[in-house]
Amino acid sequence: MDINPIIITAKLSGTDQAWADKLRRSHYPPERNLVDAHITLFHHLPPKILPEIKAQLAGICRNNPPPPAHISDIMNLGKGTAFRIQSSALQMMRQELAEHFYTMLIPQDRAEPRLHITIQNKVEPRKASALQASLLRQFAPRSLAITGLSAYHYCGGPWEPIQSWSFRG
């Protein structure tokens, strides 16, 4: 049995994944860029409940179409930059999972989620501000295709894929 915590993410379409990964490779410190761009739904679920996690994610994906989503603005992370994701349907799916796993959630996962895609992190605030200013000059809200949910083991840096599920339709 794996002892590494489980991370749950929303899976992007191939086109959106390639776009976000390109930005992440351009702006994330290379030595810290150990995973692809992602939308984290949960940061730390206990590995002992993996069968239950798989069942819940499979059920949500089987019973729901892809949730409409869009990038609404640029987020200042202090020492980084992200795109804010708006999706009431994805938020409702996350809420359903949070209620199911509530007693096992860490404080970070009990807090109100701020869905986002991080493209820069752990840089000097001045560098983050410069990127945000540059992005704002050409920014326009855009749609984002979310195709499913994924689970990973956190391995102290890189993530080990467990499984992905696709939304119906």
Side-chain angles (χ1 to χ4, degrees), residues 6-9 39-45 57 93-99 101 105-106 109-110 159:
I6 297 171
I7 298 168
I8 306 299
T9 68
I39 302 170
T40 303
L41 299 180
F42 294 94
H43 298 86
H44 189 285
L45 290 171
L57 297 180
M93 291 175 205
R94 189 205 176 277
Q95 181 61 33
E96 180 182 331
L97 290 166
E99 288 172 6
F101 293 118
L105 298 180
I106 63 171
D109 287 334
R110 284 185 181 166
W159 299 355

mmCIF file with all atom_site columns, all heavy atoms in Angstrom, residues 6-9 39-45 57 93-99 101 105-106 109-110 159:
data_model
loop_
_atom_site.group_PDB
_atom_site.id
_atom_site.type_symbol
_atom_site.label_atom_id
_atom_site.label_alt_id
_atom_site.label_comp_id
_atom_site.label_asym_id
_atom_site.label_entity_id
_atom_site.label_seq_id
_atom_site.pdbx_PDB_ins_code
_atom_site.Cartn_x
_atom_site.Cartn_y
_atom_site.Cartn_z
_atom_site.occupancy
_atom_site.B_iso_or_equiv
_atom_site.pdbx_formal_charge
_atom_site.auth_seq_id
_atom_site.auth_comp_id
_atom_site.auth_asym_id
_atom_site.auth_atom_id
_atom_site.pdbx_PDB_model_num
ATOM 1   N N   . ILE A 1 6   ? -2.766  11.659 -1.519  1.00 0.00 ? 6   ILE A N   1
ATOM 2   C CA  . ILE A 1 6   ? -3.407  11.699 -2.832  1.00 0.00 ? 6   ILE A CA  1
ATOM 3   C C   . ILE A 1 6   ? -3.859  13.125 -3.145  1.00 0.00 ? 6   ILE A C   1
ATOM 4   O O   . ILE A 1 6   ? -4.453  13.805 -2.299  1.00 0.00 ? 6   ILE A O   1
ATOM 5   C CB  . ILE A 1 6   ? -4.586  10.719 -2.878  1.00 0.00 ? 6   ILE A CB  1
ATOM 6   C CG1 . ILE A 1 6   ? -4.043  9.294  -2.685  1.00 0.00 ? 6   ILE A CG1 1
ATOM 7   C CG2 . ILE A 1 6   ? -5.368  10.855 -4.189  1.00 0.00 ? 6   ILE A CG2 1
ATOM 8   C CD1 . ILE A 1 6   ? -5.100  8.247  -2.486  1.00 0.00 ? 6   ILE A CD1 1
ATOM 9   N N   . ILE A 1 7   ? -3.582  13.539 -4.365  1.00 0.00 ? 7   ILE A N   1
ATOM 10  C CA  . ILE A 1 7   ? -3.985  14.845 -4.905  1.00 0.00 ? 7   ILE A CA  1
ATOM 11  C C   . ILE A 1 7   ? -5.055  14.578 -5.959  1.00 0.00 ? 7   ILE A C   1
ATOM 12  O O   . ILE A 1 7   ? -4.916  13.664 -6.772  1.00 0.00 ? 7   ILE A O   1
ATOM 13  C CB  . ILE A 1 7   ? -2.784  15.557 -5.555  1.00 0.00 ? 7   ILE A CB  1
ATOM 14  C CG1 . ILE A 1 7   ? -1.697  15.829 -4.515  1.00 0.00 ? 7   ILE A CG1 1
ATOM 15  C CG2 . ILE A 1 7   ? -3.215  16.836 -6.263  1.00 0.00 ? 7   ILE A CG2 1
ATOM 16  C CD1 . ILE A 1 7   ? -0.375  16.256 -5.107  1.00 0.00 ? 7   ILE A CD1 1
ATOM 17  N N   . ILE A 1 8   ? -6.103  15.402 -5.964  1.00 0.00 ? 8   ILE A N   1
ATOM 18  C CA  . ILE A 1 8   ? -7.157  15.299 -6.973  1.00 0.00 ? 8   ILE A CA  1
ATOM 19  C C   . ILE A 1 8   ? -7.124  16.576 -7.809  1.00 0.00 ? 8   ILE A C   1
ATOM 20  O O   . ILE A 1 8   ? -7.112  17.686 -7.263  1.00 0.00 ? 8   ILE A O   1
ATOM 21  C CB  . ILE A 1 8   ? -8.555  15.156 -6.324  1.00 0.00 ? 8   ILE A CB  1
ATOM 22  C CG1 . ILE A 1 8   ? -8.596  13.998 -5.342  1.00 0.00 ? 8   ILE A CG1 1
ATOM 23  C CG2 . ILE A 1 8   ? -9.632  15.036 -7.407  1.00 0.00 ? 8   ILE A CG2 1
ATOM 24  C CD1 . ILE A 1 8   ? -8.316  12.651 -5.929  1.00 0.00 ? 8   ILE A CD1 1
ATOM 25  N N   . THR A 1 9   ? -7.142  16.408 -9.130  1.00 0.00 ? 9   THR A N   1
ATOM 26  C CA  . THR A 1 9   ? -7.137  17.559 -10.036 1.00 0.00 ? 9   THR A CA  1
ATOM 27  C C   . THR A 1 9   ? -8.249  17.433 -11.061 1.00 0.00 ? 9   THR A C   1
ATOM 28  O O   . THR A 1 9   ? -8.772  16.341 -11.308 1.00 0.00 ? 9   THR A O   1
ATOM 29  C CB  . THR A 1 9   ? -5.796  17.692 -10.793 1.00 0.00 ? 9   THR A CB  1
ATOM 30  O OG1 . THR A 1 9   ? -5.668  16.602 -11.705 1.00 0.00 ? 9   THR A OG1 1
ATOM 31  C CG2 . THR A 1 9   ? -4.616  17.731 -9.851  1.00 0.00 ? 9   THR A CG2 1
ATOM 32  N N   . ILE A 1 39  ? -5.334  22.000 -12.301 1.00 0.00 ? 39  ILE A N   1
ATOM 33  C CA  . ILE A 1 39  ? -6.285  22.670 -11.406 1.00 0.00 ? 39  ILE A CA  1
ATOM 34  C C   . ILE A 1 39  ? -6.458  21.733 -10.219 1.00 0.00 ? 39  ILE A C   1
ATOM 35  O O   . ILE A 1 39  ? -7.095  20.676 -10.337 1.00 0.00 ? 39  ILE A O   1
ATOM 36  C CB  . ILE A 1 39  ? -7.646  22.908 -12.079 1.00 0.00 ? 39  ILE A CB  1
ATOM 37  C CG1 . ILE A 1 39  ? -7.497  23.743 -13.348 1.00 0.00 ? 39  ILE A CG1 1
ATOM 38  C CG2 . ILE A 1 39  ? -8.619  23.573 -11.098 1.00 0.00 ? 39  ILE A CG2 1
ATOM 39  C CD1 . ILE A 1 39  ? -8.764  23.802 -14.194 1.00 0.00 ? 39  ILE A CD1 1
ATOM 40  N N   . THR A 1 40  ? -5.889  22.085 -9.092  1.00 0.00 ? 40  THR A N   1
ATOM 41  C CA  . THR A 1 40  ? -5.993  21.228 -7.909  1.00 0.00 ? 40  THR A CA  1
ATOM 42  C C   . THR A 1 40  ? -7.360  21.387 -7.258  1.00 0.00 ? 40  THR A C   1
ATOM 43  O O   . THR A 1 40  ? -7.795  22.503 -6.984  1.00 0.00 ? 40  THR A O   1
ATOM 44  C CB  . THR A 1 40  ? -4.889  21.578 -6.887  1.00 0.00 ? 40  THR A CB  1
ATOM 45  O OG1 . THR A 1 40  ? -3.618  21.441 -7.517  1.00 0.00 ? 40  THR A OG1 1
ATOM 46  C CG2 . THR A 1 40  ? -4.962  20.673 -5.675  1.00 0.00 ? 40  THR A CG2 1
ATOM 47  N N   . LEU A 1 41  ? -8.003  20.256 -7.000  1.00 0.00 ? 41  LEU A N   1
ATOM 48  C CA  . LEU A 1 41  ? -9.263  20.260 -6.265  1.00 0.00 ? 41  LEU A CA  1
ATOM 49  C C   . LEU A 1 41  ? -9.036  19.895 -4.801  1.00 0.00 ? 41  LEU A C   1
ATOM 50  O O   . LEU A 1 41  ? -9.676  20.448 -3.911  1.00 0.00 ? 41  LEU A O   1
ATOM 51  C CB  . LEU A 1 41  ? -10.250 19.280 -6.901  1.00 0.00 ? 41  LEU A CB  1
ATOM 52  C CG  . LEU A 1 41  ? -10.623 19.574 -8.354  1.00 0.00 ? 41  LEU A CG  1
ATOM 53  C CD1 . LEU A 1 41  ? -11.605 18.525 -8.875  1.00 0.00 ? 41  LEU A CD1 1
ATOM 54  C CD2 . LEU A 1 41  ? -11.176 20.970 -8.524  1.00 0.00 ? 41  LEU A CD2 1
ATOM 55  N N   . PHE A 1 42  ? -8.118  18.941 -4.553  1.00 0.00 ? 42  PHE A N   1
ATOM 56  C CA  . PHE A 1 42  ? -7.745  18.540 -3.198  1.00 0.00 ? 42  PHE A CA  1
ATOM 57  C C   . PHE A 1 42  ? -6.244  18.314 -3.159  1.00 0.00 ? 42  PHE A C   1
ATOM 58  O O   . PHE A 1 42  ? -5.683  17.699 -4.055  1.00 0.00 ? 42  PHE A O   1
ATOM 59  C CB  . PHE A 1 42  ? -8.485  17.259 -2.768  1.00 0.00 ? 42  PHE A CB  1
ATOM 60  C CG  . PHE A 1 42  ? -9.959  17.463 -2.638  1.00 0.00 ? 42  PHE A CG  1
ATOM 61  C CD1 . PHE A 1 42  ? -10.805 17.169 -3.705  1.00 0.00 ? 42  PHE A CD1 1
ATOM 62  C CD2 . PHE A 1 42  ? -10.505 17.980 -1.478  1.00 0.00 ? 42  PHE A CD2 1
ATOM 63  C CE1 . PHE A 1 42  ? -12.163 17.392 -3.607  1.00 0.00 ? 42  PHE A CE1 1
ATOM 64  C CE2 . PHE A 1 42  ? -11.873 18.210 -1.378  1.00 0.00 ? 42  PHE A CE2 1
ATOM 65  C CZ  . PHE A 1 42  ? -12.704 17.917 -2.443  1.00 0.00 ? 42  PHE A CZ  1
ATOM 66  N N   . HIS A 1 43  ? -5.616  18.795 -2.097  1.00 0.00 ? 43  HIS A N   1
ATOM 67  C CA  . HIS A 1 43  ? -4.160  18.751 -1.963  1.00 0.00 ? 43  HIS A CA  1
ATOM 68  C C   . HIS A 1 43  ? -3.636  17.527 -1.222  1.00 0.00 ? 43  HIS A C   1
ATOM 69  O O   . HIS A 1 43  ? -2.485  17.162 -1.390  1.00 0.00 ? 43  HIS A O   1
ATOM 70  C CB  . HIS A 1 43  ? -3.669  19.997 -1.214  1.00 0.00 ? 43  HIS A CB  1
ATOM 71  C CG  . HIS A 1 43  ? -3.978  21.263 -1.927  1.00 0.00 ? 43  HIS A CG  1
ATOM 72  N ND1 . HIS A 1 43  ? -5.179  21.923 -1.789  1.00 0.00 ? 43  HIS A ND1 1
ATOM 73  C CD2 . HIS A 1 43  ? -3.243  21.989 -2.791  1.00 0.00 ? 43  HIS A CD2 1
ATOM 74  C CE1 . HIS A 1 43  ? -5.172  23.004 -2.531  1.00 0.00 ? 43  HIS A CE1 1
ATOM 75  N NE2 . HIS A 1 43  ? -4.009  23.075 -3.151  1.00 0.00 ? 43  HIS A NE2 1
ATOM 76  N N   . HIS A 1 44  ? -4.473  16.915 -0.369  1.00 0.00 ? 44  HIS A N   1
ATOM 77  C CA  . HIS A 1 44  ? -3.927  15.886 0.525   1.00 0.00 ? 44  HIS A CA  1
ATOM 78  C C   . HIS A 1 44  ? -5.040  15.002 1.079   1.00 0.00 ? 44  HIS A C   1
ATOM 79  O O   . HIS A 1 44  ? -5.622  15.312 2.111   1.00 0.00 ? 44  HIS A O   1
ATOM 80  C CB  . HIS A 1 44  ? -3.191  16.589 1.669   1.00 0.00 ? 44  HIS A CB  1
ATOM 81  C CG  . HIS A 1 44  ? -2.402  15.677 2.536   1.00 0.00 ? 44  HIS A CG  1
ATOM 82  N ND1 . HIS A 1 44  ? -2.969  14.844 3.461   1.00 0.00 ? 44  HIS A ND1 1
ATOM 83  C CD2 . HIS A 1 44  ? -1.072  15.473 2.621   1.00 0.00 ? 44  HIS A CD2 1
ATOM 84  C CE1 . HIS A 1 44  ? -2.023  14.166 4.099   1.00 0.00 ? 44  HIS A CE1 1
ATOM 85  N NE2 . HIS A 1 44  ? -0.868  14.535 3.593   1.00 0.00 ? 44  HIS A NE2 1
ATOM 86  N N   . LEU A 1 45  ? -5.310  13.911 0.376   1.00 0.00 ? 45  LEU A N   1
ATOM 87  C CA  . LEU A 1 45  ? -6.239  12.918 0.895   1.00 0.00 ? 45  LEU A CA  1
ATOM 88  C C   . LEU A 1 45  ? -5.441  11.699 1.337   1.00 0.00 ? 45  LEU A C   1
ATOM 89  O O   . LEU A 1 45  ? -4.405  11.376 0.731   1.00 0.00 ? 45  LEU A O   1
ATOM 90  C CB  . LEU A 1 45  ? -7.262  12.527 -0.175  1.00 0.00 ? 45  LEU A CB  1
ATOM 91  C CG  . LEU A 1 45  ? -8.286  13.609 -0.538  1.00 0.00 ? 45  LEU A CG  1
ATOM 92  C CD1 . LEU A 1 45  ? -9.102  13.197 -1.753  1.00 0.00 ? 45  LEU A CD1 1
ATOM 93  C CD2 . LEU A 1 45  ? -9.191  13.908 0.642   1.00 0.00 ? 45  LEU A CD2 1
ATOM 94  N N   . LEU A 1 57  ? -14.754 9.418  -7.673  1.00 0.00 ? 57  LEU A N   1
ATOM 95  C CA  . LEU A 1 57  ? -14.387 10.130 -8.899  1.00 0.00 ? 57  LEU A CA  1
ATOM 96  C C   . LEU A 1 57  ? -15.032 9.474  -10.119 1.00 0.00 ? 57  LEU A C   1
ATOM 97  O O   . LEU A 1 57  ? -15.521 10.169 -11.017 1.00 0.00 ? 57  LEU A O   1
ATOM 98  C CB  . LEU A 1 57  ? -12.873 10.198 -9.054  1.00 0.00 ? 57  LEU A CB  1
ATOM 99  C CG  . LEU A 1 57  ? -12.124 10.982 -7.965  1.00 0.00 ? 57  LEU A CG  1
ATOM 100 C CD1 . LEU A 1 57  ? -10.626 10.979 -8.233  1.00 0.00 ? 57  LEU A CD1 1
ATOM 101 C CD2 . LEU A 1 57  ? -12.644 12.396 -7.828  1.00 0.00 ? 57  LEU A CD2 1
ATOM 102 N N   . MET A 1 93  ? -19.165 19.921 -7.984  1.00 0.00 ? 93  MET A N   1
ATOM 103 C CA  . MET A 1 93  ? -18.583 18.574 -7.908  1.00 0.00 ? 93  MET A CA  1
ATOM 104 C C   . MET A 1 93  ? -17.573 18.497 -6.767  1.00 0.00 ? 93  MET A C   1
ATOM 105 O O   . MET A 1 93  ? -17.549 17.529 -6.009  1.00 0.00 ? 93  MET A O   1
ATOM 106 C CB  . MET A 1 93  ? -17.904 18.218 -9.232  1.00 0.00 ? 93  MET A CB  1
ATOM 107 C CG  . MET A 1 93  ? -18.848 18.009 -10.369 1.00 0.00 ? 93  MET A CG  1
ATOM 108 S SD  . MET A 1 93  ? -17.909 17.742 -11.901 1.00 0.00 ? 93  MET A SD  1
ATOM 109 C CE  . MET A 1 93  ? -19.110 18.267 -13.105 1.00 0.00 ? 93  MET A CE  1
ATOM 110 N N   . ARG A 1 94  ? -16.747 19.531 -6.660  1.00 0.00 ? 94  ARG A N   1
ATOM 111 C CA  . ARG A 1 94  ? -15.754 19.567 -5.589  1.00 0.00 ? 94  ARG A CA  1
ATOM 112 C C   . ARG A 1 94  ? -16.443 19.575 -4.225  1.00 0.00 ? 94  ARG A C   1
ATOM 113 O O   . ARG A 1 94  ? -16.020 18.900 -3.293  1.00 0.00 ? 94  ARG A O   1
ATOM 114 C CB  . ARG A 1 94  ? -14.838 20.779 -5.736  1.00 0.00 ? 94  ARG A CB  1
ATOM 115 C CG  . ARG A 1 94  ? -13.671 20.711 -4.753  1.00 0.00 ? 94  ARG A CG  1
ATOM 116 C CD  . ARG A 1 94  ? -13.110 22.069 -4.430  1.00 0.00 ? 94  ARG A CD  1
ATOM 117 N NE  . ARG A 1 94  ? -12.076 21.947 -3.430  1.00 0.00 ? 94  ARG A NE  1
ATOM 118 C CZ  . ARG A 1 94  ? -12.307 21.871 -2.110  1.00 0.00 ? 94  ARG A CZ  1
ATOM 119 N NH1 . ARG A 1 94  ? -13.534 21.887 -1.632  1.00 0.00 ? 94  ARG A NH1 1
ATOM 120 N NH2 . ARG A 1 94  ? -11.293 21.764 -1.261  1.00 0.00 ? 94  ARG A NH2 1
ATOM 121 N N   . GLN A 1 95  ? -17.514 20.350 -4.116  1.00 0.00 ? 95  GLN A N   1
ATOM 122 C CA  . GLN A 1 95  ? -18.254 20.427 -2.856  1.00 0.00 ? 95  GLN A CA  1
ATOM 123 C C   . GLN A 1 95  ? -18.829 19.062 -2.482  1.00 0.00 ? 95  GLN A C   1
ATOM 124 O O   . GLN A 1 95  ? -18.778 18.660 -1.311  1.00 0.00 ? 95  GLN A O   1
ATOM 125 C CB  . GLN A 1 95  ? -19.372 21.467 -2.954  1.00 0.00 ? 95  GLN A CB  1
ATOM 126 C CG  . GLN A 1 95  ? -20.175 21.641 -1.676  1.00 0.00 ? 95  GLN A CG  1
ATOM 127 C CD  . GLN A 1 95  ? -19.338 22.103 -0.511  1.00 0.00 ? 95  GLN A CD  1
ATOM 128 O OE1 . GLN A 1 95  ? -18.377 22.850 -0.670  1.00 0.00 ? 95  GLN A OE1 1
ATOM 129 N NE2 . GLN A 1 95  ? -19.676 21.646 0.689   1.00 0.00 ? 95  GLN A NE2 1
ATOM 130 N N   . GLU A 1 96  ? -19.346 18.343 -3.457  1.00 0.00 ? 96  GLU A N   1
ATOM 131 C CA  . GLU A 1 96  ? -19.867 16.994 -3.209  1.00 0.00 ? 96  GLU A CA  1
ATOM 132 C C   . GLU A 1 96  ? -18.760 16.092 -2.649  1.00 0.00 ? 96  GLU A C   1
ATOM 133 O O   . GLU A 1 96  ? -18.973 15.355 -1.681  1.00 0.00 ? 96  GLU A O   1
ATOM 134 C CB  . GLU A 1 96  ? -20.420 16.409 -4.510  1.00 0.00 ? 96  GLU A CB  1
ATOM 135 C CG  . GLU A 1 96  ? -20.995 15.023 -4.378  1.00 0.00 ? 96  GLU A CG  1
ATOM 136 C CD  . GLU A 1 96  ? -21.494 14.472 -5.704  1.00 0.00 ? 96  GLU A CD  1
ATOM 137 O OE1 . GLU A 1 96  ? -21.910 15.262 -6.575  1.00 0.00 ? 96  GLU A OE1 1
ATOM 138 O OE2 . GLU A 1 96  ? -21.463 13.238 -5.874  1.00 0.00 ? 96  GLU A OE2 1
ATOM 139 N N   . LEU A 1 97  ? -17.590 16.147 -3.253  1.00 0.00 ? 97  LEU A N   1
ATOM 140 C CA  . LEU A 1 97  ? -16.457 15.350 -2.765  1.00 0.00 ? 97  LEU A CA  1
ATOM 141 C C   . LEU A 1 97  ? -16.024 15.807 -1.375  1.00 0.00 ? 97  LEU A C   1
ATOM 142 O O   . LEU A 1 97  ? -15.722 14.988 -0.503  1.00 0.00 ? 97  LEU A O   1
ATOM 143 C CB  . LEU A 1 97  ? -15.279 15.433 -3.737  1.00 0.00 ? 97  LEU A CB  1
ATOM 144 C CG  . LEU A 1 97  ? -15.470 14.713 -5.070  1.00 0.00 ? 97  LEU A CG  1
ATOM 145 C CD1 . LEU A 1 97  ? -14.405 15.146 -6.072  1.00 0.00 ? 97  LEU A CD1 1
ATOM 146 C CD2 . LEU A 1 97  ? -15.445 13.206 -4.860  1.00 0.00 ? 97  LEU A CD2 1
ATOM 147 N N   . ALA A 1 98  ? -15.988 17.131 -1.158  1.00 0.00 ? 98  ALA A N   1
ATOM 148 C CA  . ALA A 1 98  ? -15.578 17.657 0.152   1.00 0.00 ? 98  ALA A CA  1
ATOM 149 C C   . ALA A 1 98  ? -16.531 17.195 1.252   1.00 0.00 ? 98  ALA A C   1
ATOM 150 O O   . ALA A 1 98  ? -16.093 16.858 2.359   1.00 0.00 ? 98  ALA A O   1
ATOM 151 C CB  . ALA A 1 98  ? -15.505 19.185 0.102   1.00 0.00 ? 98  ALA A CB  1
ATOM 152 N N   . GLU A 1 99  ? -17.814 17.172 0.958   1.00 0.00 ? 99  GLU A N   1
ATOM 153 C CA  . GLU A 1 99  ? -18.775 16.705 1.960   1.00 0.00 ? 99  GLU A CA  1
ATOM 154 C C   . GLU A 1 99  ? -18.577 15.217 2.238   1.00 0.00 ? 99  GLU A C   1
ATOM 155 O O   . GLU A 1 99  ? -18.651 14.785 3.388   1.00 0.00 ? 99  GLU A O   1
ATOM 156 C CB  . GLU A 1 99  ? -20.198 16.993 1.489   1.00 0.00 ? 99  GLU A CB  1
ATOM 157 C CG  . GLU A 1 99  ? -20.531 18.472 1.538   1.00 0.00 ? 99  GLU A CG  1
ATOM 158 C CD  . GLU A 1 99  ? -21.860 18.817 0.887   1.00 0.00 ? 99  GLU A CD  1
ATOM 159 O OE1 . GLU A 1 99  ? -22.614 17.902 0.474   1.00 0.00 ? 99  GLU A OE1 1
ATOM 160 O OE2 . GLU A 1 99  ? -22.143 20.032 0.782   1.00 0.00 ? 99  GLU A OE2 1
ATOM 161 N N   . PHE A 1 101 ? -15.783 13.432 1.942   1.00 0.00 ? 101 PHE A N   1
ATOM 162 C CA  . PHE A 1 101 ? -14.505 13.152 2.602   1.00 0.00 ? 101 PHE A CA  1
ATOM 163 C C   . PHE A 1 101 ? -14.208 14.116 3.753   1.00 0.00 ? 101 PHE A C   1
ATOM 164 O O   . PHE A 1 101 ? -13.085 14.155 4.247   1.00 0.00 ? 101 PHE A O   1
ATOM 165 C CB  . PHE A 1 101 ? -13.362 13.239 1.578   1.00 0.00 ? 101 PHE A CB  1
ATOM 166 C CG  . PHE A 1 101 ? -13.400 12.155 0.534   1.00 0.00 ? 101 PHE A CG  1
ATOM 167 C CD1 . PHE A 1 101 ? -13.550 12.477 -0.800  1.00 0.00 ? 101 PHE A CD1 1
ATOM 168 C CD2 . PHE A 1 101 ? -13.302 10.820 0.887   1.00 0.00 ? 101 PHE A CD2 1
ATOM 169 C CE1 . PHE A 1 101 ? -13.595 11.480 -1.771  1.00 0.00 ? 101 PHE A CE1 1
ATOM 170 C CE2 . PHE A 1 101 ? -13.345 9.821  -0.069  1.00 0.00 ? 101 PHE A CE2 1
ATOM 171 C CZ  . PHE A 1 101 ? -13.496 10.150 -1.411  1.00 0.00 ? 101 PHE A CZ  1
ATOM 172 N N   . LEU A 1 105 ? -10.318 15.619 5.507   1.00 0.00 ? 105 LEU A N   1
ATOM 173 C CA  . LEU A 1 105 ? -9.687  16.756 4.831   1.00 0.00 ? 105 LEU A CA  1
ATOM 174 C C   . LEU A 1 105 ? -8.753  17.524 5.749   1.00 0.00 ? 105 LEU A C   1
ATOM 175 O O   . LEU A 1 105 ? -9.072  17.741 6.926   1.00 0.00 ? 105 LEU A O   1
ATOM 176 C CB  . LEU A 1 105 ? -10.753 17.717 4.299   1.00 0.00 ? 105 LEU A CB  1
ATOM 177 C CG  . LEU A 1 105 ? -11.714 17.178 3.248   1.00 0.00 ? 105 LEU A CG  1
ATOM 178 C CD1 . LEU A 1 105 ? -12.694 18.268 2.833   1.00 0.00 ? 105 LEU A CD1 1
ATOM 179 C CD2 . LEU A 1 105 ? -10.973 16.616 2.052   1.00 0.00 ? 105 LEU A CD2 1
ATOM 180 N N   . ILE A 1 106 ? -7.624  17.952 5.204   1.00 0.00 ? 106 ILE A N   1
ATOM 181 C CA  . ILE A 1 106 ? -6.729  18.848 5.926   1.00 0.00 ? 106 ILE A CA  1
ATOM 182 C C   . ILE A 1 106 ? -7.344  20.253 5.877   1.00 0.00 ? 106 ILE A C   1
ATOM 183 O O   . ILE A 1 106 ? -8.209  20.522 5.026   1.00 0.00 ? 106 ILE A O   1
ATOM 184 C CB  . ILE A 1 106 ? -5.300  18.827 5.331   1.00 0.00 ? 106 ILE A CB  1
ATOM 185 C CG1 . ILE A 1 106 ? -5.294  19.332 3.884   1.00 0.00 ? 106 ILE A CG1 1
ATOM 186 C CG2 . ILE A 1 106 ? -4.687  17.428 5.452   1.00 0.00 ? 106 ILE A CG2 1
ATOM 187 C CD1 . ILE A 1 106 ? -3.899  19.557 3.299   1.00 0.00 ? 106 ILE A CD1 1
ATOM 188 N N   . ASP A 1 109 ? -7.806  21.910 2.495   1.00 0.00 ? 109 ASP A N   1
ATOM 189 C CA  . ASP A 1 109 ? -8.864  21.364 1.647   1.00 0.00 ? 109 ASP A CA  1
ATOM 190 C C   . ASP A 1 109 ? -10.263 21.625 2.193   1.00 0.00 ? 109 ASP A C   1
ATOM 191 O O   . ASP A 1 109 ? -11.251 21.454 1.474   1.00 0.00 ? 109 ASP A O   1
ATOM 192 C CB  . ASP A 1 109 ? -8.656  19.866 1.429   1.00 0.00 ? 109 ASP A CB  1
ATOM 193 C CG  . ASP A 1 109 ? -7.492  19.576 0.487   1.00 0.00 ? 109 ASP A CG  1
ATOM 194 O OD1 . ASP A 1 109 ? -7.169  20.434 -0.358  1.00 0.00 ? 109 ASP A OD1 1
ATOM 195 O OD2 . ASP A 1 109 ? -6.911  18.478 0.593   1.00 0.00 ? 109 ASP A OD2 1
ATOM 196 N N   . ARG A 1 110 ? -10.364 22.046 3.457   1.00 0.00 ? 110 ARG A N   1
ATOM 197 C CA  . ARG A 1 110 ? -11.663 22.437 4.019   1.00 0.00 ? 110 ARG A CA  1
ATOM 198 C C   . ARG A 1 110 ? -11.983 23.889 3.682   1.00 0.00 ? 110 ARG A C   1
ATOM 199 O O   . ARG A 1 110 ? -13.146 24.285 3.723   1.00 0.00 ? 110 ARG A O   1
ATOM 200 C CB  . ARG A 1 110 ? -11.655 22.266 5.537   1.00 0.00 ? 110 ARG A CB  1
ATOM 201 C CG  . ARG A 1 110 ? -11.770 20.836 5.958   1.00 0.00 ? 110 ARG A CG  1
ATOM 202 C CD  . ARG A 1 110 ? -11.888 20.707 7.447   1.00 0.00 ? 110 ARG A CD  1
ATOM 203 N NE  . ARG A 1 110 ? -11.982 19.290 7.803   1.00 0.00 ? 110 ARG A NE  1
ATOM 204 C CZ  . ARG A 1 110 ? -11.826 18.836 9.020   1.00 0.00 ? 110 ARG A CZ  1
ATOM 205 N NH1 . ARG A 1 110 ? -11.586 19.670 10.021  1.00 0.00 ? 110 ARG A NH1 1
ATOM 206 N NH2 . ARG A 1 110 ? -11.917 17.552 9.249   1.00 0.00 ? 110 ARG A NH2 1
ATOM 207 N N   . TRP A 1 159 ? 4.651   13.949 -9.126  1.00 0.00 ? 159 TRP A N   1
ATOM 208 C CA  . TRP A 1 159 ? 3.444   13.213 -8.778  1.00 0.00 ? 159 TRP A CA  1
ATOM 209 C C   . TRP A 1 159 ? 3.421   11.919 -9.562  1.00 0.00 ? 159 TRP A C   1
ATOM 210 O O   . TRP A 1 159 ? 3.809   11.873 -10.721 1.00 0.00 ? 159 TRP A O   1
ATOM 211 C CB  . TRP A 1 159 ? 2.201   14.005 -9.126  1.00 0.00 ? 159 TRP A CB  1
ATOM 212 C CG  . TRP A 1 159 ? 2.049   15.320 -8.430  1.00 0.00 ? 159 TRP A CG  1
ATOM 213 C CD1 . TRP A 1 159 ? 2.839   15.847 -7.453  1.00 0.00 ? 159 TRP A CD1 1
ATOM 214 C CD2 . TRP A 1 159 ? 1.032   16.280 -8.676  1.00 0.00 ? 159 TRP A CD2 1
ATOM 215 N NE1 . TRP A 1 159 ? 2.372   17.067 -7.070  1.00 0.00 ? 159 TRP A NE1 1
ATOM 216 C CE2 . TRP A 1 159 ? 1.254   17.367 -7.809  1.00 0.00 ? 159 TRP A CE2 1
ATOM 217 C CE3 . TRP A 1 159 ? -0.045  16.326 -9.535  1.00 0.00 ? 159 TRP A CE3 1
ATOM 218 C CZ2 . TRP A 1 159 ? 0.435   18.484 -7.786  1.00 0.00 ? 159 TRP A CZ2 1
ATOM 219 C CZ3 . TRP A 1 159 ? -0.859  17.450 -9.517  1.00 0.00 ? 159 TRP A CZ3 1
ATOM 220 C CH2 . TRP A 1 159 ? -0.625  18.500 -8.639  1.00 0.00 ? 159 TRP A CH2 1
#
